[in-house]
Amino acid sequence: MPAVIRRTAFTLLLAAFSAAALAQAQKAPKTYEPSVGQEGKDVVWVPTPQVLVDKMLDMAKVTPGDFVMDLGSGDGRTVITAAKRGVPAMGIEYNPDMVELSKRNAEREGVAGRASFMKADLFETDFSKATVITMFLLPDINLKLRPKILDLKPGTRIVSNTFTMADWEPDQTATVDADCHSSWCTALLWIVPAKVGGSYKIAQGDLTLKQTFQKLSGTLRTEGKTLALEGKVNGEEIAFKAGGREYRGKVNGKTLELR
Ligand SMILES: C[S@@+](CC[C@H](N)C(=O)[O-])C[C@H]1O[C@@H](n2cnc3c(N)ncnc32)[C@H](O)[C@@H]1O
């Protein structure tokens, strides 16, 4: 075969191979790589450092009997970490690419059976089934969610990375130093308090409770004396001090029993 024909045939063959390789590369699924700070619907994506994810779940004392929901779940790390502890968990995330990434991550970690992800707007999501809510949002978003959170079942635990809930003070705050190479190393925990404000006739006398979130003030009228009280609600449990004595009790529907 003359050299010029051999060269042309070789060039054509090479072009055919290149076209086939290009078509193959275009067909192969691209791995979605999120970038820190990328836009989100209401909040950008910044991942919670793994050490703080662990701390947040520790503070909430999650058990396999819980149901964790992460509002704005990003790459799924909190949900996946909970699932690895045997706790069923669900992530709510607006960005569909992040949802798919989370599902792949859960699959890779072998916890897809316990970790689910929903493409949804957290403001339109019913999270009343959650016993633990985790979030890394912003103070104004926390505040917007607050009325809905305060209507959750008493005892529901809320854990936020760094951001507060305005004048609803956290029940617990913890900062992790070791292995937290970021500005986001503080976790805050709130326990949804039962609504206990009001007046009660109890075995000890007349009790009037004034409630501000989990804090209690008011009076106990007992043995002809009116004593000022200070205390706290923890889920359905109440505890207060009046006249140098400590009282503990539990709310049961509309009744309150002191021990
Ligand atoms: C700061 S990142 C936190 C991600 C994850 N929770 C974590 O701690 O690693 C906030 C996430 O909320 C998502 N997001 C923002 N607005 C949202 C909305 N309205 N509904 C659902 N997700 C939202 C963003 O896409 C982002 O992934």
Side-chain angles (χ1 to χ4, degrees):
M1 194 191 294
V4 64
I5 297 181
R6 262 205 324 270
R7 258 202 317 275
T8 309
F10 180 71
T11 308
L12 286 173
L13 205 63
L14 195 66
F17 265 124
S18 308
L22 185 67
Q24 191 61 35
Q26 279 168 345
K27 253 196 265 160
K30 284 203 193 90
T31 340
Y32 170 71
E33 296 252 350
S35 49
V36 174
Q38 73 185 23
E39 279 303 307
K41 182 176 175 284
D42 295 288
V43 193
V44 299
W45 176 64
V46 176
T48 295
Q50 185 58 42
V51 64
L52 193 70
V53 170
D54 293 330
K55 185 73 186 175
M56 287 165 74
L57 296 176
D58 288 348
M59 282 169 87
K61 297 195 173 91
V62 293
T63 71
D66 279 310
F67 178 49
V68 174
M69 280 179 89
D70 189 33
L71 306 183
S73 48
D75 63 1
R77 59 185 60 204
T78 306
V79 169
I80 291 167
T81 306
K84 282 175 154 180
R85 294 186 184 196
V87 185
M90 176 185 272
I92 305 299
E93 171 58 54
Y94 196 77
N95 179 334
D97 292 326
M98 294 303 265
V99 172
E100 290 312 311
L101 174 69
S102 304
K103 287 181 180 171
R104 286 196 296 277
N105 289 346
E107 198 76 54
R108 197 188 55 233
E109 297 293 331
V111 292
R114 268 193 303 276
S116 55
F117 297 93
M118 204 160 88
K119 195 260 155 217
D121 185 336
L122 60 91
F123 286 113
E124 318 220 313
T125 301
D126 174 11
F127 44 81
S128 60
K129 295 252 176 335
T131 58
V132 173
I133 288 178
T134 53
M135 52 198 202
F136 182 19
L137 299 168
L138 283 169
D140 61 317
I141 296 184
N142 291 359
L143 196 54
K144 251 178 153 171
L145 291 172
R146 199 174 83 174
K148 223 167 144 184
I149 288 175
L150 282 164
D151 273 343
L152 292 172
K153 194 171 176 296
T156 305
R157 289 94 83 207
I158 318 297
V159 202
S160 164
N161 175 346
T162 304
F163 296 116
T164 59
M165 207 82 84
D167 53 342
W168 182 14
E169 287 174 20
D171 292 281
Q172 212 181 306
T173 302
T175 298
V176 286
D177 298 317
D179 301 321
C180 194
H181 312 290
S182 142
S183 312
W184 316 109
C185 300
T186 298
L188 299 94
L189 168 80
W190 294 262
I191 299 167
V192 173
K195 296 180 174 72
V196 300
S199 296
Y200 303 85
K201 290 230 172 284
I202 54 170
Q204 291 83 348
D206 294 331
L207 180 67
T208 301
L209 295 179
K210 186 170 172 286
Q211 178 175 10
T212 310
F213 304 110
Q214 71 275 57
K215 291 185 185 166
L216 291 177
S217 58
T219 54
L220 174 64
R221 181 152 180 80
T222 185
E223 296 165 4
K225 284 190 237 151
T226 300
L227 308 169
L229 67 86
E230 293 285 338
K232 208 176 157 189
V233 192
N234 186 335
E236 293 185 329
E237 301 280 332
I238 68 162
F240 63 84
K241 275 189 188 168
R245 265 198 66 187
E246 268 193 44
Y247 297 85
R248 289 183 176 277
K250 196 174 159 106
V251 190
N252 198 345
K254 288 233 174 306
T255 63
L256 193 152
E257 284 159 21
L258 289 189
R259 296 192 286 274

